[in-house]
């Protein structure tokens, strides 16, 4: 049996996933979860070693995986299916997750800035009213 996450195949790939799969497969895969970091024990698995680079068409070290649900295509011989495992994970690109984290952080900073500004206005008004009260007396 091959390692989970790998397959030795010869037919053309069919996938509805946006993640990259080997160029030739006998199976169809769909995403079944979010892109997540590989555990240290998984760093030797093929799906954690190679993945698409967001900066080029080359494959580079990924260290991120995405769970996939795969099914055998029609016409695949039973002997072949018994001798090979379907992949459970594929390498995924973290470019979109990095972009999302950037904008989430920006939103948090804008919120904190607005909260600080409102607190500043409230304090300034309170101090001004306290000064006016003490000036009257």
């Amino acid at each position: 049996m091959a390692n989970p996450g790998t397959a030795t195949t010869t037919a053309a790939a069919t996938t509805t996933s946006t993640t990259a799969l080997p160029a030739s497969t006998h199976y169809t895969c769909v995403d079944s979860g979010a892109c997540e970091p590989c555990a240290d024990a998984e760093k030797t698995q093929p799906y954690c070693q190679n993945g698409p680079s967001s900066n080029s068409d080359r494959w580079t070290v990924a260290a991120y995986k995405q769970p996939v649900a795969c099914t055998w295509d029609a016409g695949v011989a039973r002997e072949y299916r018994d001798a090979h495992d379907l992949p459970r994970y594929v390498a995924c690109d973290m470019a979109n997750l990095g972009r999302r984290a950037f904008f989430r952080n920006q939103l948090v900073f804008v919120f904190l800035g607005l909260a600080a500004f409102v607190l500043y206005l409230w304090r300034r008004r309170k101090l001004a009213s306290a000064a006016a009260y003490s000036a009257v007396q």
Side-chain angles (χ1 to χ4, degrees), residues 39-116:
D40 287 338
E42 294 177 309
K43 299 283 183 176
T44 59
Q45 296 295 328
Y47 53 81
C48 287
Q49 291 183 355
N50 294 318
S53 171
S54 60
N55 297 329
S56 68
D57 293 333
R58 296 180 306 131
W59 283 66
T60 59
V61 174
Y64 290 92
K65 64 183 179 181
Q66 182 169 17
V68 290
C70 298
T71 56
W72 291 107
D73 291 340
V76 177
R78 184 159 196 72
E79 297 81 24
Y80 185 86
R81 290 189 307 220
D82 291 342
H84 297 86
D85 290 330
L86 289 172
R88 294 178 300 146
Y89 297 99
V90 293
C92 57
D93 189 3
M94 288 299 295
N96 290 335
L97 293 180
R99 202 171 294 124
R100 187 181 329 154
F102 171 79
F103 286 112
R104 183 186 64 226
N105 287 341
Q106 293 300 316
L107 183 63
V108 167
F109 291 137
V110 166
F111 176 74
L112 289 174
L114 286 174

Side-chain angles (χ1 to χ4, degrees), residues 14-39:
T14 306
T15 181
T16 58
S17 170
T18 58
T19 57
L21 289 173
S24 57
T25 60
H26 285 295
Y27 51 83
T28 303
C29 295
V30 293
D31 297 343
S32 65
C35 191
E36 57 193 43
C38 293

